[in-house]
Amino acid sequence: MKFDYDQPYASARQPVFARNVVATSHPLAAQAGLRMLAAGGNAVDAAIATAACMTIVEPCSNGLGSDAFCILWDGERLHGLNASGPAPAAWTREYFTGKYGDGATAPPMRGVDSVSVPGAVAGWVALSKRFGKLPFADLMAPAAEIAERGYAVPVVVQQKWTMASKVADLVSGPGYAKTFLPRGRPPEVGERFSMPHAARALKLIGQTGGEAYYRGEIGAAIAAWSHQHGGRLTQADLAAFEPEWVTPLAQPYRGHTLHEIPPNGQGIAAQMALGMLEHFDLASLPVDGPACQHLQIEAMKLAFADVYRFVAEPRTMEGPAESLLDPQYLAARAKLIDPQRAQVFGPGYAIKGGTIYLSTADESGMMVSYIQSNYMGFGSGVVEPTFGISLQNRGHGFSLDAHSPNAVAPGKRPFHTIIPGFLSRDGAPVMSFGVMGGNMQPQGHVQTLVRMLDHGQNVQAACDAPRWRFEKGLDINVERSMPEATRDALAALGHRIVGLEDSYMDFGAGQFIWRLGDASVEGYVAASDPRRDGAAVGF
């Protein structure tokens, strides 16, 4: 691609060019990854060190009790890793309806009964064992040091922290206030915050290669804390967990291929939308004009209608996920889009049968697209105090409808929102990327890829550009930076522009690393989203 490097949108950032790159939403974490590369490590070592640091420096989005997914190019081929944990063995529909009443439609949003098995630490271990170069303990060292010594809280993290701490059922969670409100309030911008108990956990995780977390004293502490507060997560549940290596799904678009982790995640929504948009000449439409934006919104609506109906743990779906990417089906769905009006769509019939994102790349050609999350901000609000383990609330993603493909069951993984992305062309790697933020994630994948592949915008410009976000029905949110004429025209087409209620997720935040040629010669160009505190760094 020959990108236009004029920056058409307000941004304090420029694209970063280097042969070794780390991009994420906190500069200290990005620097930790860069340290691993400078020490002779590879992109996987950098990703793990960065991810570990992110649990400390952006606790409003993730923690040592997160889940994770990864797509990586090892220099020769693509690999996918699903490190999302399953439901505890005691989780049945009867368990939840007996405890919360027959009217309950899902496990609770917060508390111990929202915590499924955390998978991120096991994901780090699996990546390190298969692809890493440096000792695992070395990868935990930067995060442990930051947790112990503390760091000055940056602007956007502090804003998210403050918003999350207004949520009553989060703040009242066992261990939350003691850990994250040490002065009885969220820290202020520039105020020092430390997590000495998490530093202890990180050191132990490093020394034992993660064994302490799943089969040792950390796991025992997590299980005891859950039991103490009425939960059913046990150490046996933790000990039984292993991440799964998977083959990413592939969807062609404009001569490139978008790769996403297969369900239980929603990455397939971005692939479906692009498969529909392949039938429209978006390049002929003004990039920020209403016609181009309208077609993307309608395609995302159609994709979400199917994803929310059919996507779940693969063994409980009504048929293979690949059937949702059938070219004839996507062509038929694309014909439902009316360029002149917004619509509300239902699912078709194809089936037959709080987050952080980071990307790393090194001069050997290895590229990593990695995402981990506690789900809703600080997650469950449950923090194990002796090791500072802030636990996710992914269990809330299950349904208590016995007929739903996403119905809760022992050992089953819930529907997930977090999705790493990867782009290739003719079998060669092109870009590792992601956009975090709930249902904004596939929407962010689509919007940024259209800008790059249809309109030639460079990675930072595509990242900076104004975004929309489909919510439900005819409701969309739009960023204030979107041209007023475009907003008015979208409303005239029938889109109902509403205020953004989910101020935590807002319009997402992305990181992008695009390969320029030979990684050891031309290297990469990278971007980091100005909607967060982060940075793309390299050498």
Side-chain angles (χ1 to χ4, degrees):
M1 293 291 295
K2 288 189 176 181
F3 288 129
D4 176 1
Y5 282 103
D6 288 336
Q7 297 301 89
Y9 309 105
S11 176
R13 300 183 182 177
Q14 292 290 334
V16 172
F17 298 85
R19 285 187 288 271
N20 299 275
V21 190
V22 181
T24 194
S25 52
H26 197 292
L28 295 182
Q31 291 291 343
L34 212 59
R35 284 168 57 185
M36 299 302 109
L37 290 168
N42 59 21
V44 165
D45 296 313
I48 296 167
T50 302
C53 283
M54 289 300 292
T55 67
I56 305 302
V57 298
E58 197 171 311
C60 52
S61 304
N62 72 136
L64 287 171
S66 285
D67 279 350
F69 295 88
C70 181
I71 300 176
L72 71 92
W73 177 265
D74 68 1
E76 297 182 356
R77 59 184 292 257
L78 208 60
H79 305 267
L81 182 66
N82 183 329
S84 65
W91 277 19
T92 63
R93 180 180 180 277
E94 292 70 27
Y95 168 70
F96 288 103
T97 56
K99 192 171 181 178
Y100 298 98
D102 289 335
T105 59
M109 187 180 296
R110 311 284 185 183
V112 289
D113 282 331
S114 69
V115 182
S116 51
V117 175
V121 171
W124 302 347
V125 173
L127 288 166
S128 178
K129 284 182 176 179
R130 187 167 180 181
F131 296 107
K133 293 172 64 176
L134 299 178
F136 189 71
D138 291 0
L139 309 182
M140 299 295 105
E145 179 186 13
I146 293 171
E148 196 161 52
R149 296 185 63 184
Y151 61 94
V153 174
V155 175
V156 179
V157 166
Q158 194 276 340
Q159 293 170 352
K160 307 299 182 188
W161 206 320
T162 298
M163 287 187 287
S165 294
K166 294 177 182 178
V167 179
D169 60 349
L170 177 66
V171 175
S172 62
Y176 177 88
K178 184 176 181 181
T179 304
F180 295 119
L181 305 176
R183 301 170 183 86
R185 55 167 175 77
E188 297 175 356
V189 173
E191 191 169 17
R192 177 180 170 272
F193 175 77
S194 64
M195 294 186 72
H197 299 303
R200 180 184 170 210
L202 285 158
K203 291 175 184 177
L204 197 53
I205 290 167
Q207 292 162 6
T208 65
E211 284 295 300
Y213 192 101
Y214 292 94
R215 285 163 282 275
E217 58 184 292
I218 298 175
I222 293 171
W225 192 246
S226 174
H227 177 75
Q228 181 179 336
H229 295 280
R232 301 297 292 274
L233 179 66
T234 68
Q235 192 163 14
D237 294 319
L238 294 164
F241 176 68
E242 292 289 343
E244 179 186 5
W245 292 101
V246 298
T247 300
L249 295 174
Q251 172 63 38
Y253 185 73
R254 308 299 193 221
H256 294 73
T257 302
L258 171 62
H259 304 271
E260 300 276 0
I261 295 288
N264 52 314
Q266 64 172 341
I268 196 171
Q271 294 173 307
M272 294 176 68
L274 289 176
M276 296 175 218
L277 291 170
E278 189 85 69
H279 297 276
F280 297 90
D281 183 11
L282 299 185
S284 68
L285 303 172
V287 63
D288 289 309
C292 187
Q293 303 306 312
H294 169 72
L295 292 173
Q296 294 173 67
I297 294 168
E298 296 299 282
M300 278 308 323
K301 287 181 186 178
L302 283 161
F304 275 134
D306 282 336
V307 165
Y308 293 149
R309 167 61 182 85
F310 297 117
V311 169
E313 173 76 64
R315 60 188 169 92
T316 59
M317 288 179 63
E318 296 175 25
E322 288 83 356
S323 62
L324 290 169
L325 299 178
D326 178 79
Q328 291 183 327
Y329 177 67
L330 293 178
R333 296 292 271 170
K335 289 179 180 178
L336 298 176
I337 297 175
D338 184 341
Q340 302 303 319
R341 67 185 180 97
Q343 300 179 75
V344 177
F345 300 106
Y349 300 96
I351 294 288
K352 302 178 178 66
T355 304
I356 67 94
Y357 174 80
L358 64 94
S359 182
T360 62
D362 64 38
E363 59 187 288
S364 77
M366 180 176 278
M367 302 174 71
V368 178
S369 180
Y370 179 93
I371 198 161
Q372 72 186 18
S373 171
N374 266 7
Y375 192 23
M376 296 179 177
F378 283 91
S380 63
V382 179
V383 186
E384 194 289 315
T386 58
F387 291 103
I389 310 295
S390 175
L391 294 160
Q392 41 85 335
N393 61 331
R394 283 291 170 185
H396 182 62
F398 281 119
S399 171
L400 298 184
D401 178 356
H403 302 291
S404 168
N406 202 39
V408 69
K412 181 179 176 180
R413 292 176 298 197
F415 178 84
H416 257 268
T417 56
I418 58 176
I419 54 170
F422 201 95
L423 193 70
S424 67
R425 184 181 178 94
D426 299 327
V430 173
M431 179 172 64
S432 55
F433 75 103
V435 180
M436 62 190 191
N439 75 342
M440 184 63 210
Q441 295 184 51
Q443 304 187 61
H445 287 202
V446 168
Q447 291 176 68
T448 52
L449 287 176
V450 165
R451 288 180 176 279
M452 294 177 202
L453 304 184
D454 288 279
H455 298 281
Q457 291 189 336
N458 75 73
V459 288
Q460 188 66 58
C463 184
D464 295 343
R467 295 178 187 151
W468 48 263
R469 175 174 175 165
F470 166 66
E471 287 294 348
K472 61 182 178 180
L474 296 172
D475 293 354
I476 62 169
N477 319 125
V478 298
E479 282 194 295
R480 284 177 293 180
S481 55
M482 181 175 285
E484 186 175 355
T486 298
R487 292 167 57 103
D488 292 345
L490 288 173
L493 289 171
H495 296 284
R496 188 161 51 233
I497 298 175
V498 298
L500 182 61
E501 294 181 6
D502 184 359
S503 57
Y504 178 79
M505 297 296 185
D506 53 57
F507 292 91
Q511 315 293 330
F512 304 82
I513 299 180
W514 183 287
R515 182 165 165 164
L516 294 172
D518 185 331
S520 65
V521 181
E522 289 87 5
Y524 308 89
V525 57
S528 183
D529 206 306
R531 297 167 182 82
R532 296 293 188 270
D533 299 299
V537 296
F539 66 86

